Amino acid sequence: MEVISILQAREIKAKLKSLIQEASLVDSYLTKRLDEVNKWIKHLKPGTLTAKKFVMLFLKQLIQDSQTFLIIKSIEKEIQAEFDYRQMNPTEQYWYQELFPKWLQEKDPKFYIWKQKLMSGEFTQEDREIIKAIANKIQLNQGTVLQRYIVDLSMATDIIVSGNKEKPLCIQLTSLSKNFAKNKAEKWKHTLVFWEIDRGLFLSYNPGKQDYQNELVKTTLDHSDNLQKGNYLKCSL
């Protein structure tokens, strides 16, 4: 488990304010979103913020993504040319070129709700270790993986996976039975369509089944390579 210090909490609050100033010269959408997040946490003392593990982890991700996004925008502005995303792996390209800018520009209907859940401690990410294990196995199989709290909580996506053909695929993993997963799958598809994610995989699995992790890895990589645009596939292992 990651240890988060009070010093880190102070640094994060200071960095967030600094990024708002930087963003104001480069991108108004990022400025607005960062300001919204800053207002959300500014009343918290460093010790209190430190105790809120998932709030801190989200903030660290957001700061890192914002720094990268500002570098991209600054390069484009300085040389009047598009940033060359080919220096990133396919899942990073998809995140920084498409999904992160969409999240900044669009009104996120779930943001208010999940900010509350993060702050109150309702969000526990019970499947974190399983997702981490799956992500590691995908990388060992020469695939790339991206995880973000934003795509998880706003875009119904546990992981973005890319295989041999370098075609990123948004994947929702669930251990719910088929009957209980049906309602979740309908909401999942609606969310992906809202964010203009053009294909997705809703994958139900049985954690009691032998070798289920390797089956998940094979299935996600296969569909990343072969699932056609416009398809939102529900699959059960």
Side-chain angles (χ1 to χ4, degrees):
M1 183 180 293
E2 184 174 356
V3 178
I4 302 172
S5 68
I6 291 177
L7 177 61
Q8 281 182 298
R10 290 196 184 100
E11 290 172 345
I12 280 175
K13 293 185 82 169
K15 187 59 183 176
L16 198 56
K17 292 178 182 177
S18 172
L19 282 171
I20 291 170
Q21 291 183 328
E22 289 181 51
S24 67
L25 303 174
V26 179
D27 189 277
S28 61
Y29 294 111
L30 178 60
T31 306
K32 183 177 179 181
R33 188 67 84 185
L34 291 176
D35 188 56
E36 184 179 3
V37 172
N38 184 55
K39 288 176 181 176
W40 175 52
I41 65 157
K42 70 177 184 179
H43 68 285
L44 297 176
K45 293 180 179 179
T48 303
L49 182 56
T50 300
K52 297 183 181 297
K53 175 185 172 183
F54 289 107
V55 173
M56 286 287 287
L57 292 174
F58 160 67
L59 291 172
K60 290 173 81 172
Q61 277 188 2
L62 179 62
I63 285 171
Q64 290 169 357
D65 284 336
S66 298
Q67 289 172 324
T68 301
F69 188 72
L70 283 171
I71 290 170
I72 292 169
K73 287 293 181 180
S74 297
I75 290 172
E76 290 178 338
K77 186 176 180 180
E78 183 177 338
I79 64 176
Q80 296 296 307
E82 289 295 315
F83 180 78
D84 185 1
Y85 287 94
R86 288 175 296 180
Q87 59 191 283
M88 297 180 173
N89 70 46
T91 49
E92 290 173 334
Q93 288 181 36
Y94 186 49
W95 172 239
Y96 288 112
Q97 191 169 18
E98 295 190 40
L99 294 188
F100 189 59
K102 279 182 185 176
W103 183 72
L104 295 177
Q105 294 171 25
E106 299 293 332
K107 181 174 174 58
D108 181 352
K110 295 183 179 180
F111 193 33
Y112 176 75
I113 298 168
W114 64 256
K115 280 192 302 180
Q116 287 184 323
K117 287 185 176 182
L118 285 180
M119 193 64 77
S120 67
E122 289 179 64
F123 178 77
T124 57
Q125 204 176 23
E126 295 175 359
D127 55 357
R128 187 181 186 191
E129 292 305 314
I130 290 175
I131 292 173
K132 183 178 178 182
I134 298 302
N136 288 337
K137 287 177 181 289
I138 289 169
Q139 290 170 328
L140 287 172
N141 281 270
Q142 309 305 311
T144 65
V145 183
L146 185 135
Q147 296 172 266
R148 291 293 189 276
Y149 290 107
I150 293 168
V151 293
D152 181 2
L153 295 165
S154 289
M155 300 178 183
T157 295
D158 288 311
I159 50 176
I160 303 173
V161 174
S162 179
N164 292 328
K165 295 184 181 178
E166 300 189 346
K167 295 162 61 179
L169 178 65
C170 290
I171 298 169
Q172 173 77 274
L173 301 172
T174 181
S175 58
L176 293 175
S177 66
K178 192 172 182 180
N179 290 337
F180 289 106
K182 183 178 179 181
N183 185 48
K184 185 177 181 181
E186 289 173 357
K187 292 180 179 178
W188 160 81
K189 180 179 178 180
H190 176 79
T191 299
L192 264 60
V193 170
F194 173 84
W195 288 106
E196 298 179 333
I197 295 169
D198 58 18
R199 64 189 191 130
L201 176 64
F202 185 91
L203 190 53
S204 300
Y205 65 94
N206 179 358
K209 186 177 179 180
Q210 189 175 7
D211 208 33
Y212 78 94
Q213 289 190 5
N214 287 329
E215 280 194 52
L216 283 172
V217 171
K218 183 179 184 303
T219 303
T220 57
L221 289 172
D222 284 348
H223 285 299
S224 171
D225 286 342
N226 300 309
L227 188 65
Q228 297 300 307
K229 287 185 177 182
N231 286 325
Y232 303 94
L233 182 64
K234 295 179 280 292
C235 183
S236 183
L237 297 180

